[in-house]
Amino acid sequence: MPLLFRKVRDLRNHLRSLRCDRGLSVGFVPTMGYLHEGHKALIRRSRVQNDVTVVSIYVNPTQFGPSEDYDRYPRDLERDMAVCEELGVDVVFAPPDEEIYPIGFQTEVYVKGISDILEGRFRPGHFKGVATVVLKLLNIVQPDRAYFGEKDYQQLKVIQTMVRDLLLPVEIVPVETVREPDGLACSSRNVYLSEEERESALSLYRSFLLAEDLIKGGERRAEVIKRKMEEFILSHPHVRKIDYVEITDPDLKPKDKVEKGDRILLAVWVGNTRLIDNWKVSV
Ligand code: PAF
């Protein structure tokens, strides 16, 4: 079993001795738990690149809006510990709220600009919560490398920007999105979907394939591609609404003409579940 720490001080003492006394490198995988294949890919990458792998499991309240799913977000520490054991994780950090946000806490991290577009428009304050908790976790763990999935592409960009701007001594390692065999991107929120909703949720992945086909056929106008993707997604039952479909360059700058390497990002409500996904244009 991995060692389980609840307190910042205990974790710091343990990691200090591994790093300083034994000279071991540390890889860090921050998560909100309910681990799936996407998390497993991050953990496996960390295990290959570092001597010690630390996984944090913390459902961070500050990145959820008041009407979002904080209360019902899936939690199962016992199951997560078993996954971590199976994958050879050395240390799990699962702090209570008061360790991360003690009374009197008043500092927030705001990565301007990039936090306000796309997801930021629909989830105000979300990336402030993410950047703040990730900075705190990085300060606690002080890893050599930290692993983030491209599934949350904008989150990855926010973190990379924060690390660059604040000169944090950590390498951020992006890891490709892991999909179910039928294309659905792995996400802890997939458990909210009924069988029929899950079927409709496949339209997100399939809309990327549609976009690729259009591009292959010579269509480069972002507006046309986005409209066709939206029509396709909305033609599925249980799809309630589309928050956005956007095409950007790799740094999230909107594009009119689509090129290889651009990103297509979307957020769609299927039933009561809000799903996000993104795709790197390959043609
Ligand atoms: O991607 C997540 O699971 C969370 O946003 C993170 C990075 C663990 C911060 O709470």
Side-chain angles (χ1 to χ4, degrees), residues 30-32 39 58 60 63 73 130 133-134 137 148 152 155:
T31 81
M32 298 207 298
H39 296 118
Y58 179 60
N60 172 38
Q63 68 188 76
Y73 197 86
V130 170
V133 82
V134 170
L137 292 168
F148 291 85
D152 296 304
Q155 166 173 283

Side-chain angles (χ1 to χ4, degrees), residues 185-200:
C186 293
S187 162
S188 303
R189 289 189 168 99
N190 290 350
V191 294
Y192 299 152
L193 298 169
S194 69
E195 217 173 288
E196 303 81 54
E197 287 171 345
R198 195 188 174 290
E199 190 54 37
S200 285

Side-chain angles (χ1 to χ4, degrees), residues 26-227:
V26 175
F28 177 43
V29 181
T31 81
M32 298 207 298
Y34 218 71
L35 304 178
H36 51 64
E37 289 301 322
H39 296 118
K40 289 185 189 175
L42 305 180
I43 292 170
R44 288 196 185 101
R45 185 73 65 83
S46 171
R47 293 261 295 128
V48 170
Q49 296 184 329
N50 304 279
D51 299 320
V52 173
T53 291
V54 179
V55 172
S56 66
I57 295 175
Y58 179 60
V59 184
N60 172 38
T62 64
Q63 68 188 76
F64 290 81
S67 57
E68 294 183 7
D69 57 341
Y70 174 71
D71 287 333
R72 67 175 187 135
Y73 197 86
R75 294 162 169 88
D76 189 342
L77 184 60
E78 211 174 300
R79 176 180 169 278
D80 288 341
M81 285 300 284
V83 171
C84 286
E85 178 175 28
E86 180 196 308
L87 294 181
V89 170
D90 302 281
V91 170
V92 170
F93 178 48
D97 284 339
E98 59 272 22
E99 281 294 298
I100 301 297
Y101 298 109
I103 291 169
F105 178 82
Q106 25 191 356
T107 305
E108 286 178 329
V109 182
Y110 171 37
V111 186
K112 279 190 284 187
I114 196 163
S115 294
D116 304 320
I117 56 174
L118 300 164
E119 280 300 279
R121 278 184 51 216
F122 293 88
R123 304 185 68 190
H126 169 66
F127 287 119
K128 219 184 251 181
V130 170
T132 303
V133 82
V134 170
L135 180 60
K136 294 192 71 142
L137 292 168
L138 291 174
N139 280 338
I140 295 164
V141 177
Q142 296 182 32
D144 298 276
R145 299 177 190 84
Y147 297 80
F148 291 85
E150 289 188 349
K151 156 79 170 46
D152 296 304
Y153 188 76
Q154 190 178 0
Q155 166 173 283
L156 169 68
K157 290 282 143 189
V158 168
I159 303 300
Q160 284 176 329
T161 306
M162 174 182 79
V163 164
R164 183 200 68 196
D165 290 354
L166 300 182
L167 306 173
L168 302 182
V170 60
E171 181 191 342
I172 299 300
V173 183
V175 178
E176 259 185 44
T177 303
V178 177
R179 296 181 182 278
E180 305 278 353
D182 56 11
L184 186 68
C186 293
S187 162
S188 303
R189 289 189 168 99
N190 290 350
V191 294
Y192 299 152
L193 298 169
S194 69
E195 217 173 288
E196 303 81 54
E197 287 171 345
R198 195 188 174 290
E199 190 54 37
S200 285
L202 292 177
S203 64
L204 278 63
Y205 168 67
R206 291 179 184 153
S207 76
F208 295 136
L209 303 184
L210 169 70
E212 288 266 316
D213 278 348
L214 290 167
I215 298 165
K216 245 184 251 160
E219 182 57 79
R220 295 276 157 180
R221 291 167 299 173
E223 278 313 316
V224 174
I225 296 165
K226 286 192 285 188
R227 184 167 40 77

